[in-house]
Amino acid sequence: MFCYQCEQTARGTGCTAFGVCGKSPEVADLQDLLIYAAKGISMYAHRARLLGSRDREIDLFVVEALFTTVTNVNFDEDRLVSLLARAETVRNRARDLYEAACREAGQEAEALGGPASFAFAAAKEALIDQGGKVTPERGAERHGDVVQGLHDLVLLSLKGSAAYADHAQVLGQEDDAVYAFFHEFLDFLSRDALSVDDLVGKALEAGKWNIRVMELLDAANTGTYGHPVPTPVRVTPLAGKAILVSGHDLKDLELILKQTEGKGINIYTHGEMLPCHGYPELKKYGHLAGNYGGAWQDQREEFDAFPGAIVMTTNCIQKPKDSYKDRIFTTGLVAWPGVTHIGPDKDFSPAVEAALAAPGFEKDEPEKTILVGFGRNAVLGAADKVVELVRAGKIRHFFLIGGCDGAKSGRNYYTDFARAVPEDCVILTLACGKYRFNKLDFGDIEGIPRLLDVGQCNDAFSAVKIAMALADVFETDVNGLPLSLILSWYEQKAVCILLSLLYLGVKDIRLGPSLPAFVKAPVFEVLQEKFNLQPIGSVEDDLRAILG
């Protein structure tokens, strides 16, 4: 195996023996082979689309294949083997679609090689061996480190965008042009000859397309559940039976809430599900009791202590301890060997039964709350007041401190930075990185909370809209605002968001806790020169550089 797609990759260069995330070498190789298969499918699907032919089943499978390989999603060899069997069937379907389109257009079909004609093995062991031949490390042997790193920068961005696209289509929001984007880019990445200039251009273009994908997801979430509103969320438990819902999927949470009504079970959110409490159509359920725990990397201890059932709806799962393996459940694309999976019918009764069998919380703990729900509607609804405070010098600067959390050392920087932000400044935050400081009391500036939780990493579009709206009011661009972005990254959704920000021309972003292993020094130098993208330093030096 060779995997360097997450921030915590071994030695900061790549996992080669076993994934830091818990991914086995076998799973890593099968995932690489699934990406190779997705390239082959897209080679046909892209060409068919140029001739006016498309197939939604093919489109959805490619998105699913990409999302399946995101960090902390699927750790199950057998499920990956099943996906590879489907991939071969879908590739044949895509080939037939392309050839039929060629006949209709009166032209000869190209004879495509590489992943388009690759013969997949039948046995799992042979598939694993094949996957070992298409790892990023093998790619670097052919293309060199810089080109392969840029290839992977684009690919990892596609994986992150696919996660957002999957969430959106679950709630009925799709765009055929987005599916065309995935096919076109995977077809591009399947080429043998790739140049640095072309790949840099594709990376920024991928950022442009990710904005469209995030827009779809925003429309899906707000169109289904309403725009988030500022809401206090209880972070201490109530007495009674309990189910903990983690991941990112709002639809799964809604289904669990519906299926547990009247059963005496309290539902708690975990990790990136915290912002769900701000959505009117979710907060109306009286048994949505609060949020339990913090970010994903602490789940083994938190889940062990949770006296109920746990449901993982999307990525973020870690190897379950034996102490709770019989009461944790996966659904959607998430999978761990030996963990009960809730299928497409979304019948969560096994989780309900496990919750009823577990002891639950014995008593109410003293109430403590935190505020969520500062999506773009809520923030822009107070825009006049915010603008007034800025012009009066009462709000000096905005800091967006957000992104992924993780276990690797160095992330205390974000806590320290938030604590050090002067009292005349406002902090915007989103994604699970906020757990580093979201329980601290930052107070307010004439009624405007100094900490505004915009939502999940999935809600980055909301943050972009806030920044662009404020830029319009102040008759400048985003770079002209008193706004600084202090970002933490861990997995592939953070990659596509970063590329979106670069596509928008946002400069002076500080990124940490370490730089991506796949972005080699010559490429990072280009990004520094063009966008002043820079690694985090010390809190004192960074604040001094920003505020003067």
Side-chain angles (χ1 to χ4, degrees):
M1 72 174 289
F2 181 84
C3 183
Y4 59 179
Q5 70 177 11
C6 85
E7 190 271 334
Q8 291 181 185
T9 194
R11 301 174 301 281
T13 57
C15 295
T16 57
F18 211 89
V20 172
C21 65
K23 181 165 56 178
S24 70
E26 294 79 10
V27 165
D29 289 341
L30 289 169
Q31 288 187 353
D32 284 336
L33 188 59
L34 183 59
I35 291 299
Y36 192 68
K39 288 180 178 179
I41 294 167
S42 289
M43 289 171 72
Y44 288 118
H46 172 58
R47 287 164 175 78
R49 224 179 198 87
L50 293 177
L51 295 171
S53 293
R54 56 188 61 85
D55 185 320
R56 185 170 179 270
E57 181 180 332
I58 295 170
D59 299 339
L60 292 179
F61 181 82
V62 167
V63 168
E64 181 179 335
L66 287 165
F67 189 8
T68 292
T69 66
V70 167
T71 302
N72 291 3
V73 177
N74 190 334
F75 294 81
D76 192 319
E77 293 175 23
D78 292 338
R79 287 192 63 189
L80 287 166
V81 169
S82 296
L83 278 169
L84 283 164
R86 278 181 59 201
E88 189 165 21
T89 300
V90 172
R91 189 185 64 179
N92 292 341
R93 184 183 179 110
R95 181 197 61 211
D96 293 345
L97 181 73
Y98 168 56
E99 291 176 351
C102 285
R103 287 193 297 272
E104 187 170 335
Q107 66 182 56
E108 186 175 347
E110 291 181 58
L112 301 177
S117 59
F118 182 80
F120 291 92
K124 178 167 73 174
E125 292 73 16
L127 287 169
I128 292 168
D129 183 64
Q130 289 181 327
K133 294 180 173 62
V134 292
T135 66
E137 189 173 39
R138 293 297 183 90
E141 292 171 3
R142 294 198 312 276
H143 303 303
D145 285 345
V146 173
V147 167
Q148 184 62 35
L150 277 168
H151 167 286
D152 293 331
L153 173 64
V154 176
L155 175 62
L156 301 184
S157 176
L158 297 184
K159 290 186 180 189
S161 293
Y164 294 146
D166 182 76
H167 295 317
Q169 73 84 18
V170 163
L171 291 173
Q173 285 288 336
E174 300 176 76
D175 182 348
D176 190 65
V178 166
Y179 293 129
F181 146 66
F182 285 117
H183 295 313
E184 178 189 347
F185 275 57
L186 286 171
D187 172 70
F188 169 80
L189 293 177
S190 71
R191 298 177 188 174
D192 287 329
L194 296 168
S195 74
V196 169
D197 288 345
D198 286 346
L199 283 162
V200 170
K202 280 293 185 187
L204 294 178
E205 192 180 350
K208 178 191 79 170
W209 277 105
N210 184 61
I211 293 171
R212 173 57 182 150
V213 176
M214 290 193 299
E215 182 180 28
L216 286 173
L217 179 55
D218 179 83
N221 288 341
T222 59
T224 306
Y225 302 111
H227 282 275
V229 295
T231 303
V233 180
R234 186 181 179 111
V235 293
T236 48
L238 295 167
K241 306 292 185 178
I243 293 177
L244 186 62
V245 184
S246 191
H248 303 76
D249 198 289
L250 275 62
K251 180 67 173 179
D252 284 336
L253 176 62
E254 179 191 26
L255 292 172
I256 291 168
L257 287 166
K258 286 181 176 179
Q259 292 178 32
T260 52
E261 279 189 293
K263 297 185 184 298
I265 299 174
N266 287 322
I267 307 301
Y268 295 86
T269 55
H270 174 267
E272 286 269 55
M273 298 299 283
L274 167 63
C276 294
H277 293 268
Y279 286 92
E281 292 302 309
L282 294 174
K283 63 182 290 185
K284 70 182 184 182
Y285 291 92
H287 60 304
L288 181 58
N291 190 74
Y292 174 90
W296 66 273
Q297 76 275 2
D298 296 324
Q299 69 181 248
R300 281 167 56 84
E301 287 69 36
E302 292 173 350
F303 290 1
D304 190 29
F306 186 76
I310 303 141
V311 179
M312 299 298 302
T313 66
T314 59
N315 57 309
C316 289
I317 193 170
Q318 289 189 299
K319 181 180 181 180
K321 290 184 177 182
D322 290 341
S323 57
Y324 63 83
K325 198 171 184 179
D326 62 340
R327 53 186 177 87
I328 185 171
F329 303 85
T330 59
T331 191
L333 299 179
V334 192
W336 193 283
V339 169
T340 301
H341 189 76
I342 307 296
D345 63 351
K346 298 294 184 179
D347 177 3
F348 289 98
S349 56
V352 172
E353 292 167 8
L356 293 172
F361 289 103
E362 292 183 1
K363 61 180 181 179
D364 293 356
E365 295 293 333
E367 184 176 9
K368 296 180 182 178
T369 63
I370 56 177
L371 268 178
V372 302
F374 291 96
R376 70 177 188 279
N377 267 28
V379 174
L380 295 179
D384 290 345
K385 177 69 171 178
V386 170
V387 171
E388 174 191 327
L389 291 171
V390 172
R391 287 180 170 155
K394 295 179 179 179
I395 293 180
R396 179 169 35 146
H397 205 81
F398 297 88
F399 290 91
L400 195 159
I401 309 174
C404 311
D405 204 1
K408 191 174 177 180
S409 62
R411 290 181 182 269
N412 58 311
Y413 167 93
Y414 297 94
T415 310
D416 295 341
F417 194 100
R419 288 181 185 274
V421 167
E423 293 187 0
D424 60 355
C425 300
V426 171
I427 299 169
L428 300 169
T429 191
L430 76 167
C432 63
K434 62 175 164 265
Y435 281 107
R436 291 276 165 173
F437 49 82
N438 70 339
K439 293 183 175 68
L440 301 177
D441 183 4
F442 291 95
D444 66 88
I445 300 175
E446 294 192 11
I448 301 295
R450 287 191 57 236
L451 179 65
L452 302 175
D453 186 345
V454 180
Q456 296 182 342
C457 67
N458 300 12
D459 296 313
F461 179 78
S462 205
V464 168
K465 295 294 283 186
I466 291 169
M468 294 177 75
L470 289 175
D472 287 343
V473 171
F474 287 105
E475 298 181 343
T476 183
D477 60 13
V478 172
N479 293 311
L481 288 173
L483 169 68
S484 298
L485 277 64
I486 316 296
L487 304 183
S488 56
W489 80 283
Y490 171 68
E491 45 94 322
Q492 296 77 67
K493 286 180 281 185
V495 175
C496 64
I497 291 170
L498 177 62
L499 292 183
S500 292
L501 293 171
L502 297 182
Y503 167 75
L504 291 170
V506 179
K507 296 182 178 180
D508 304 324
I509 297 171
R510 283 172 165 78
L511 181 67
S514 61
L515 297 176
F518 45 84
V519 178
K520 304 304 176 183
V523 177
F524 192 77
E525 288 168 9
V526 171
L527 297 178
Q528 279 189 305
E529 181 180 350
K530 187 170 183 179
F531 301 104
N532 199 29
L533 178 66
Q534 53 195 293
I536 59 173
S538 72
V539 169
E540 295 77 13
D541 288 347
D542 288 348
L543 269 174
R544 190 180 305 113
I546 293 167
L547 295 175

